[in-house]
Amino acid sequence: MIAIYLVAALAVFAAIRATVEKNTGRKLPYVNVMNFAIAGTIVLLLDHPLALVAAAAYFVGSTLEANAIASTYAGGERRG
């Protein structure tokens, strides 16, 4: 049970830091930490064999979203 509280506290800390941080480049790692923590919380809270699948699906989706945000922030793909 303590693992759930630790992961949840980590997610809350990352959410606060991501909200307070002004620089977008420094905000992105905190968003990634939130994604890790939410996926971990899903696995720890749900006592079902498919909880791991749900957490993996959330993690993959959130990783793709974070990569899209980072790519847009960096200027996207250079062509030509």
Side-chain angles (χ1 to χ4, degrees):
M1 193 67 165
I2 193 161
I4 295 172
Y5 294 130
L6 287 174
V7 172
L10 187 65
V12 169
F13 174 75
I16 291 169
R17 285 297 307 250
T19 304
V20 171
E21 186 63 51
K22 302 262 189 253
N23 184 354
T24 304
R26 293 186 66 183
K27 192 179 286 197
L28 293 175
Y30 294 113
V31 173
N32 268 344
V33 169
M34 283 187 322
N35 290 333
F36 278 119
I38 291 171
T41 304
I42 289 171
V43 171
L44 291 171
L45 284 177
L46 300 178
D47 188 25
H48 193 274
L50 291 178
L52 185 60
V53 174
Y58 175 83
F59 182 72
V60 168
S62 63
T63 301
L64 292 174
E65 177 187 6
N67 287 344
I69 292 170
S71 176
T72 301
Y73 180 70
E77 184 178 318
R78 304 277 187 228
R79 296 185 183 187

